[in-house]
Amino acid sequence: MIDTTTKGGIGELVVAIDLLKKGWTVFFPIVDNTGCDLIAMKDNVIKTIQVKFHTKPSSGSSGSIIIDMRKRTGRKNIISCKCDVVAVPLQKKELGIDTVVYIPYNGEITLSIAFKDAKNNQTSKRRWYKDFLDVPI
């Protein structure tokens, strides 16, 4: 089994490759103390990016994933992310999905992304992964 640090490193590389393919220049911080894993630049636009590789299905439905932005430090959960964008490598081979989604980040504790219809057919306020395939400018 791969440990969480290695999984995080793999996620960062997957996102960096996707950004490079889309024409972005990618930088990695020497020290990870800002809550941002990557910095991307394109056409004089700079974005700070947090990569979240660890996701879990939302409760009661396998049609979306929940991204938890909290980081455990000691006995407390804190929000340490101070980035512009959260990037999530999304791999759902059974649905033919293998991409990276780029979600604008505004300090939320959790983010969710839908990749198929909900069991209760809810459609309002769902964030569809196809709407987040590019870095928001």
Side-chain angles (χ1 to χ4, degrees):
M1 179 173 269
I2 300 174
D3 64 82
T4 57
T5 302
T6 302
K7 284 182 184 178
I10 291 169
E12 290 173 16
L13 292 172
V14 167
V15 171
I17 290 167
D18 187 65
L19 289 167
L20 290 167
K21 287 179 180 178
K22 292 177 178 179
W24 289 80
T25 301
V26 179
F27 304 90
F28 288 90
I30 293 173
V31 178
D32 183 11
N33 63 358
T34 62
C36 296
D37 296 316
L38 306 171
I39 299 167
M41 183 174 68
K42 181 178 183 182
D43 300 329
N44 293 322
V45 173
I46 298 172
K47 293 292 181 176
T48 55
I49 300 173
Q50 173 72 40
V51 178
K52 287 294 187 180
F53 197 63
H54 303 285
T55 58
K56 59 184 178 182
S58 64
S59 60
S61 171
S62 60
S64 64
I65 57 170
I66 295 175
I67 301 106
D68 190 344
M69 298 303 295
R70 294 173 293 190
K71 183 175 188 175
R72 186 111 176 119
T73 59
R75 295 181 182 199
K76 295 182 180 179
N77 287 324
I78 61 165
I79 305 279
S80 63
C81 183
K82 295 174 178 61
C83 60
D84 302 312
V85 177
V86 175
V88 183
L90 185 58
Q91 298 175 327
K92 297 288 178 189
K93 292 187 175 37
E94 69 278 8
L95 300 173
I97 301 170
D98 188 5
T99 190
V100 177
V101 295
Y102 299 93
I103 309 162
Y105 185 65
N106 298 304
E108 299 93 329
I109 294 172
T110 59
L111 302 168
S112 65
I113 291 292
F115 52 86
K116 68 179 188 177
D117 291 335
K119 290 181 181 179
N120 65 1
N121 295 320
Q122 176 187 354
T123 56
S124 68
K125 297 185 180 180
R126 281 182 65 87
R127 299 170 102 171
W128 291 97
Y129 83 92
K130 290 181 181 180
D131 295 333
F132 298 96
L133 298 179
D134 292 313
V135 177
I137 305 232

